[in-house]
């Protein structure tokens, strides 16, 4: 499966559910006794679940380093081999996990084994991401980079709804809701915004995805041209920030799929 740094997870997940938690209503969090958050990473969803549920919420991840940032209880484990007895929790939930697994179905079947009631997956469709920016070159460049990245990723980065996979795993009463995670950058800029702009200007952000981009049909020469265009765009972002004029709005659609054991 794909691995991510703590900084990446915090940057992309912080702020989710801050505007609305309506899409989580089918999880019936207020009635849960024991919840397992699989692929918890640095615990952004774990914190939301603990706020919304009176029950125990256990964070689970294969990466001990990420889990070290999450207050207990935690358990280190692979999503397809959970150290939980059959029916040991009444809700298993994951966020942006299945999209990074080579076999999402194997994880879903394991979730169904350890849950006595519900299984829920909150997964993005990265092919539907929309972006607006005051730096006009940023929108087409982001689309170009995203398409090349998606073509090289071995997993299904546009997974979104997993209703079919839930039914194949034997889950019933499957329903899907959409939640749009909106990320905005506008004055006054915080340190995270400034760092993101610096990474654009240096090309560091794109460089982190080099292997995935080149795993697709992108040649090294095409990647280098993309990176140079990306750095030029980043310098324009920095200039607009210095003038207090930069604004950016990105919408990442997530699909909340819920099924009953």
């Amino acid at each position: 499966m794909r691995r991510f740094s703590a900084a990446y997870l915090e940057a992309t997940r912080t702020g989710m559910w801050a505007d609305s938690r309506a899409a989580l209503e089918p999880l019936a969090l207020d009635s849960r006794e024991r919840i397992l958050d699989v692929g918890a990473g640095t615990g952004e969803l774990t914190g939301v679940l603990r706020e919304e549920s009176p029950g125990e919420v256990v964070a689970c991840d294969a990466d001990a380093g990420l889990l070290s940032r999450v207050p207990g209880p935690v358990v280190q484990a692979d999503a397809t081999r959970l150290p939980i007895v059959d029916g040991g929790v009444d809700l298993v939930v994951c966020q942006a996990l299945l999209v990074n697994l080579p076999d999402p179905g194997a994880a879903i079947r394991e979730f169904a084994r350890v849950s006595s009631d519900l299984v829920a997956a909150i997964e993005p469709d990265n092919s539907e991401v929309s972006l607006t920016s005051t730096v006009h070159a940023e929108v087409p460049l982001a689309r170009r980079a995203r398409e090349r990245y998606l073509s090289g990723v071995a997993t299904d980065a546009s997974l979104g709804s997993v209703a079919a996979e839930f039914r194949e795993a034997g889950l019933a009463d499957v329903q899907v809701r959409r939640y749009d995670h909106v990320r905005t950058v506008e004055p006054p800029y915080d340190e995270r915004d400034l760092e993101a702009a610096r990474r654009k200007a240096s090309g560091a952000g794109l460089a982190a995805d080099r292997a995935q981009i080149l795993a697709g049909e992108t040649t090294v020469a095409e990647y280098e041209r993309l990176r140079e265009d990306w750095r030029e765009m980043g310098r324009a972002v920095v200039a607009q920030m210095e003038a207090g004029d930069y604004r950016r709005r990105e919408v990442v659609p997530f699909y909340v799929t819920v099924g009953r054991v």
Side-chain angles (χ1 to χ4, degrees):
M1 66 171 289
R2 292 158 61 198
R3 302 283 184 178
F4 299 97
S5 68
Y8 173 86
L9 294 177
E10 290 169 351
T12 56
R13 297 187 184 184
T14 297
M16 272 197 76
W17 313 110
D19 54 343
S20 172
R21 296 179 179 175
L24 297 177
E25 288 176 1
L27 279 61
L29 293 173
D30 59 351
S31 67
R32 296 293 149 202
E33 295 182 2
R34 194 163 190 241
I35 300 171
L36 184 66
D37 177 13
V38 184
T42 47
E44 283 71 30
L45 178 62
T46 305
V48 172
L49 298 173
R50 288 173 177 169
E51 290 174 6
E52 296 293 329
S53 175
E56 179 183 55
V57 179
V58 180
C60 173
D61 202 280
D63 190 321
L66 297 179
L67 275 182
S68 68
R69 295 171 172 258
V70 187
V74 302
V75 59
Q76 183 184 358
D78 184 279
T80 61
R81 296 186 299 274
L82 298 171
I84 308 291
V85 300
D86 294 2
V89 299
D90 55 2
L91 169 64
V92 178
V93 60
C94 67
Q95 178 173 290
L97 170 69
L98 302 179
V99 72
N100 297 308
L101 297 182
D103 185 3
I108 295 169
R109 290 190 294 273
E110 181 70 347
F111 297 171
R113 179 187 69 79
V114 304
S115 177
S116 64
D117 189 20
L118 292 184
V119 172
I122 306 164
E123 299 295 327
D125 183 343
N126 291 298
S127 68
E128 290 188 1
V129 174
S130 63
L131 175 68
T132 58
S133 171
T134 52
V135 173
H136 300 303
E138 185 170 11
V139 175
L141 268 176
R143 185 185 308 113
R144 181 172 144 203
R146 186 181 307 112
E147 289 172 351
R148 292 182 180 276
Y149 178 86
L150 293 178
S151 71
V153 173
T155 62
D156 184 1
S158 59
L159 191 61
S161 167
V162 286
E165 290 83 350
F166 268 37
R167 294 188 181 99
E168 288 174 5
L171 296 169
D173 302 327
V174 177
Q175 59 177 296
V176 181
R177 291 194 182 190
R178 173 169 167 158
Y179 171 78
D180 286 343
H181 179 30
V182 181
R183 302 198 298 245
T184 60
V185 178
E186 58 187 7
Y189 310 114
D190 61 24
E191 183 53 39
R192 184 181 291 116
D193 298 334
L194 297 172
E195 176 59 21
R198 289 191 288 265
R199 287 176 63 79
K200 286 186 175 78
S202 68
L206 200 65
D209 295 332
R210 185 178 187 275
Q212 285 81 7
I213 292 173
L214 292 178
E217 298 180 356
T218 303
T219 66
V220 172
E222 289 170 336
Y223 168 79
E224 292 300 334
R225 285 196 296 271
L226 173 62
R227 187 164 182 259
E228 184 51 44
D229 291 344
W230 192 267
R231 293 175 63 193
E232 183 178 350
M233 176 269 291
R235 291 190 288 270
V237 169
V238 170
Q240 282 198 10
M241 277 188 158
E242 290 173 347
D245 296 332
Y246 180 67
R247 286 171 173 77
R248 182 183 193 273
R249 184 176 189 270
E250 182 180 49
V251 180
V252 182
F254 281 80
Y255 291 85
V256 182
T257 307
V258 181
R260 191 172 301 279
V261 175

